[in-house]
Amino acid sequence: MLAVAVASSRTLEVLDLEGTGLTNQSAQVFLDMVENYPTSLRVLVLAENDISPELQQQISDLLSEGEEEDNRDVPPPLGGHAPSSALQPIREKHQPLTWVPHSSKG
């Protein structure tokens, strides 16, 4: 069910599933998802699960291919030399996620 939710999301770019008890079977579902459905997902963290390194690499490779396709849609800068800011990546490959606890206090 999580893979279906990820596939239907147009904004989710990073999903950290580290140490969540996933197996090759569940990773295969995510592999099928990134192979067959357009997704905005760019990073899927699967470390510390019972998933083969080969399967993790296949998923990573497919996500990387999707990012390369996105970068081809960006037009080259106009003019002679691009400013140094244009040479920076559009988005970081993986930024640590920060959890902010909910507080009922104003």
Side-chain angles (χ1 to χ4, degrees):
M1 288 179 19
L2 180 59
V4 171
V6 172
S8 65
S9 173
R10 297 293 169 233
T11 57
L12 182 66
E13 292 188 2
V14 178
L15 180 59
D16 187 344
L17 296 174
E18 181 175 347
T20 54
L22 297 178
T23 63
N24 280 339
Q25 183 179 5
S26 49
Q28 185 65 49
V29 172
F30 281 103
L31 177 64
D32 292 342
M33 177 202 67
V34 295
E35 278 182 324
N36 299 306
Y37 297 94
T39 178
S40 58
L41 191 65
R42 299 292 170 253
V43 177
L44 178 59
V45 181
L46 297 172
E48 303 299 320
N49 285 298
D50 190 20
I51 300 170
S52 72
E54 295 81 14
L55 192 51
Q56 290 186 46
Q57 188 61 50
Q58 285 180 300
I59 294 169
S60 177
D61 290 347
L62 284 170
L63 291 174
S64 295
E65 286 175 13
E67 188 168 275
E68 289 169 6
E69 289 173 10
D70 285 351
N71 289 340
R72 280 185 276 180
D73 294 339
V74 177
L78 299 174
H81 296 287
S84 61
S85 62
L87 302 176
Q88 299 301 317
I90 293 172
R91 67 175 89 78
E92 295 296 324
K93 285 267 189 199
H94 177 63
Q95 296 175 349
L97 298 176
T98 304
W99 178 73
V100 179
H102 176 72
S103 173
S104 59
K105 297 178 184 177

